[in-house]
Amino acid sequence: MATGAKTDLSDHGQRLAGALLVLLGLAAGIIGAVLFARAVRDVDPHSWQLPNVLPSVVAIVVGLLALLAGGWLYARGLSRTHSVPAVFLSPQEEEKVIQEIESFEKRTSGELRVHLASASHAGGSILEEAKRTFEQLGLTATRERNGVLFYVAVREHQFAVLGDQGINDKVPPGFWDQVVGRVSQRFGEGQFGQGLVEGIDLAGEALATHFPPRHDDQNELPNQISRG
């Protein structure tokens, strides 16, 4: 059975600022849509002289700009809250995390996955949900039982790391707490990609000692970030 550790990564200031941007984006989008719809409705198709259509054209342009601004603010707000798997990591951060996963698996026969979960975990059951995800991703099926899961509940800003039985038999007590501490420190600074990179690196150091690469080693699981 996989065991590990968890922590709460909430940054209420960042989430509040992000939520405010989301609300502003929605408001701007609604205002823009209303202006645009009214302007189109008021255009007189029988009179295309500039003085007659200019107010409607201006209103259409303003409406479109408000829609675009609303969309931008909404996207920025989601990014600031880090509460949606799709925007939890920037493209640059995701690329670095995947590179670190690949580096991890070159140093060891172990397998590692990062999962960004959107589901809510009522009752503090993130570890139980992480264990279910551990099995669903095939991490219990590795030959040496040396799979590792980095599980992020993005909506609740909680993080858990799990290792399979083969790893837990070899690493010292409290090892996963060290990994969680490293990740949570960076997450608390808003450096989500860097936190995952450093946590994966720390786990890789331990697995490289206990599970060095085998001559017949195969990549048993894809090196990617899963979401769900």
Side-chain angles (χ1 to χ4, degrees), residues 23-42:
L23 291 175
L24 288 174
L26 289 172
I30 291 171
I31 292 171
V34 170
L35 285 174
F36 181 82
R38 287 184 175 178
V40 171
R41 183 195 63 189
D42 293 341

Side-chain angles (χ1 to χ4, degrees), residues 2-210:
T3 59
K6 69 173 182 120
T7 189
D8 188 339
L9 307 167
S10 295
D11 183 339
H12 298 294
Q14 284 285 337
R15 300 186 75 178
L16 182 60
L20 180 60
L21 286 176
V22 167
L23 291 175
L24 288 174
L26 289 172
I30 291 171
I31 292 171
V34 170
L35 285 174
F36 181 82
R38 287 184 175 178
V40 171
R41 183 195 63 189
D42 293 341
V43 170
D44 184 356
H46 303 292
S47 178
W48 289 99
Q49 295 181 358
L50 184 60
N52 295 329
V53 299
L54 185 59
S56 295
V57 171
V58 171
I60 288 173
V61 172
V62 172
L64 287 173
L65 290 175
L67 278 170
L68 291 173
W72 183 84
L73 287 169
Y74 185 81
R76 289 291 297 171
L78 288 179
S79 178
R80 288 287 294 274
T81 62
H82 295 277
S83 297
V84 179
V87 296
F88 182 76
L89 298 174
S90 69
Q92 295 78 14
E93 288 176 320
E94 181 160 345
E95 181 179 356
K96 290 181 180 179
V97 171
I98 292 175
Q99 290 175 351
E100 188 61 35
I101 295 173
E102 294 172 347
S103 174
F104 169 97
E105 298 198 356
K106 288 178 182 178
R107 291 186 286 167
T108 170
S109 61
E111 296 284 340
L112 184 141
R113 296 292 300 273
V114 174
H115 184 77
L116 307 179
S118 58
S120 178
H121 308 110
S125 58
I126 181 175
L127 276 177
E128 291 303 318
E129 186 59 37
K131 289 177 182 178
R132 284 192 287 269
T133 302
F134 194 95
E135 296 180 0
Q136 292 169 359
L137 294 177
L139 286 163
T140 57
T142 59
R143 184 162 71 176
E144 296 181 85
R145 300 297 301 272
N146 56 0
V148 177
L149 173 64
F150 280 53
Y151 182 93
V152 185
V154 297
R155 182 181 301 177
E156 296 161 321
H157 281 207
Q158 290 185 326
F159 170 75
V161 59
L162 302 180
D164 208 353
Q165 189 62 49
I167 301 173
N168 294 322
D169 288 342
K170 296 181 180 295
V171 296
F175 172 73
W176 297 122
D177 290 316
Q178 296 177 27
V179 176
V180 164
R182 179 73 63 86
V183 175
S184 62
Q185 178 182 353
R186 294 302 183 200
F187 277 26
E189 299 167 354
Q191 300 182 44
F192 295 94
Q194 185 63 26
L196 290 171
V197 166
E198 293 185 14
I200 293 168
D201 180 64
L202 185 59
E205 290 178 6
L207 267 74
T209 300
H210 301 295

